[in-house]
Amino acid sequence: QLQLVESGGGLVQPGGSLRLSCAASGFPLAAYAIGWFRQAPGKEREGVSCINKSGTITNYADSVKGRFTMSRDFAKNTVYLQMSSLKPEDTALYYCAARAVWCSNRPDLYNYWGQGTQVTVSS
């Protein structure tokens, strides 16, 4: 059974860093484009970043460019989201999702989702 499991969330002060992980079981992550999305209370789910199947292309939302970096570890079947210079507005539930074709920032185009990991940025 295909599963995605996020981890690495937590409480961090503004300006701090976190690394989120998205581990896959039941399928090779390399066969999918992987997106990170986030949803804050009362807001719609938004695309944060995406990495293509080969790991050679990454896309980022303007709000996180220069602060977030996405990467793949094929051996561990895991995708990471390194988040730096975190701001209170980054507070949200973060999800990873898999799509069998190319990257998209539209959550409705993704087939598989994890349960999410909470990121809270507060002093």
Side-chain angles (χ1 to χ4, degrees):
Q1 184 176 352
L2 194 153
Q3 276 192 317
L4 294 170
V5 178
E6 303 95 336
S7 62
L11 174 64
V12 63
Q13 292 186 344
S17 299
L18 283 174
R19 188 178 77 159
L20 305 184
S21 300
C22 173
S25 61
F27 72 103
L29 267 184
Y32 294 82
I34 304 298
W36 280 100
F37 294 82
R38 65 186 182 187
Q39 188 165 20
K43 294 188 177 181
E44 292 188 354
R45 192 169 296 188
E46 64 171 347
V48 173
S49 64
C50 184
I51 192 165
N52 68 342
K53 294 179 185 181
S54 63
T56 55
I57 299 173
T58 50
N59 299 323
Y60 300 94
D62 288 343
S63 59
V64 306
K65 275 181 185 175
R67 300 188 298 121
F68 290 11
T69 303
M70 198 170 174
S71 61
R72 284 186 180 266
D73 186 328
F74 293 101
K76 294 183 178 180
N77 211 28
T78 300
V79 170
Y80 302 100
L81 182 67
Q82 178 68 47
M83 306 186 296
S84 303
S85 302
L86 282 161
K87 305 175 182 180
E89 50 263 44
D90 294 318
T91 295
L93 189 59
Y94 282 72
Y95 300 89
C96 64
R99 184 170 187 243
V101 286
W102 48 84
C103 276
S104 172
N105 62 357
R106 287 178 50 184
D108 61 305
L109 296 181
Y110 284 74
N111 307 103
Y112 306 103
W113 289 83
Q115 295 300 307
T117 185
Q118 178 67 39
V119 172
T120 302
V121 185
S122 175
S123 55

